[in-house]
Amino acid sequence: MQRSLPLFGLVLIIVLAGCLGGLGFGGSSDAATTTTGIETQTTSIVSSTTAPADPTTATTTITETQTQPRTQTTFLRQPTTANIDTPEDSERFQARVTKVIDPTTLTIKYDGKNRTIDLIGVSVPESSPIHKKAVRYTKSQMDHQVVTVVSDPQVNATDNGRMQAYVYIGNFMFNTDLVRIGYARILDGQFSKRQKFMRKQQQAKQRGYGLWNTTSTSV
């Protein structure tokens, strides 16, 4: 009876060990789960690192779009050929101004010869304080310029034989510019562009420019 007790205890231990093994007290399945979790995280990290590639492409597209307006500046050049509304049967030629005698009298060089001309339709009173300013202004605008000289069939030469003309710098008539800023007034008599001159003089009067400034002698 005493010998059977140790044998029974040994059998009981073996039975208990088998039961515990059946309950799943092991670490192999947990290691697989952990490995799977690591692999899943690694995959998500790799996929996230591919995302910044798109902004690089977008930046390149924006840079290319911004450079396009620069090419349009080459189309902003203006034509240099004068487009002048000349009176019918008028004489028209280009010449260089060689001297400014007074605000409305110029010496030009044409066809190898010097010629003195008067500006049609305008006068700057020599007694006016504006006269000196008008001289300086005419020199700054006309001296040594290549101009277009246009005659008017309605206007004859002066008593001393000077040609009277409209004088243009490009498309811009200098006669009316003197009237516009109030440095000159319109002369009596008829000429083709008289109405245009009258509009310029009326504007100068309304704005109180130059000769029409009742509070000061300066423009």
Side-chain angles (χ1 to χ4, degrees), residues 124-192:
V124 180
E126 292 186 10
S127 60
S128 169
I130 295 296
H131 189 271
K132 290 183 179 180
K133 293 184 178 182
V135 171
R136 290 196 298 266
Y137 182 72
T138 301
K139 287 183 176 181
S140 69
Q141 298 297 310
M142 304 296 290
D143 204 13
H144 301 296
Q145 285 281 359
V146 175
V147 297
T148 302
V149 180
V150 180
S151 66
D152 189 336
Q154 295 186 21
V155 181
N156 298 322
T158 62
D159 294 338
N160 54 10
R162 291 178 181 173
M163 176 185 180
Q164 297 191 70
Y166 306 109
V167 177
Y168 293 81
I169 304 175
N171 299 340
F172 181 74
M173 189 200 296
F174 188 71
N175 307 50
T176 54
D177 189 48
L178 287 175
V179 177
R180 178 187 63 84
I181 62 177
Y183 280 0
R185 59 165 49 98
I186 301 173
L187 289 172
D188 294 334
Q190 292 300 315
F191 50 93
S192 299

Side-chain angles (χ1 to χ4, degrees), residues 186-202:
I186 301 173
L187 289 172
D188 294 334
Q190 292 300 315
F191 50 93
S192 299
K193 297 183 179 293
R194 185 175 182 81
Q195 291 302 315
K196 181 176 182 179
F197 281 52
M198 292 297 294
R199 289 195 297 270
K200 297 293 184 181
Q201 182 167 281
Q202 186 62 31

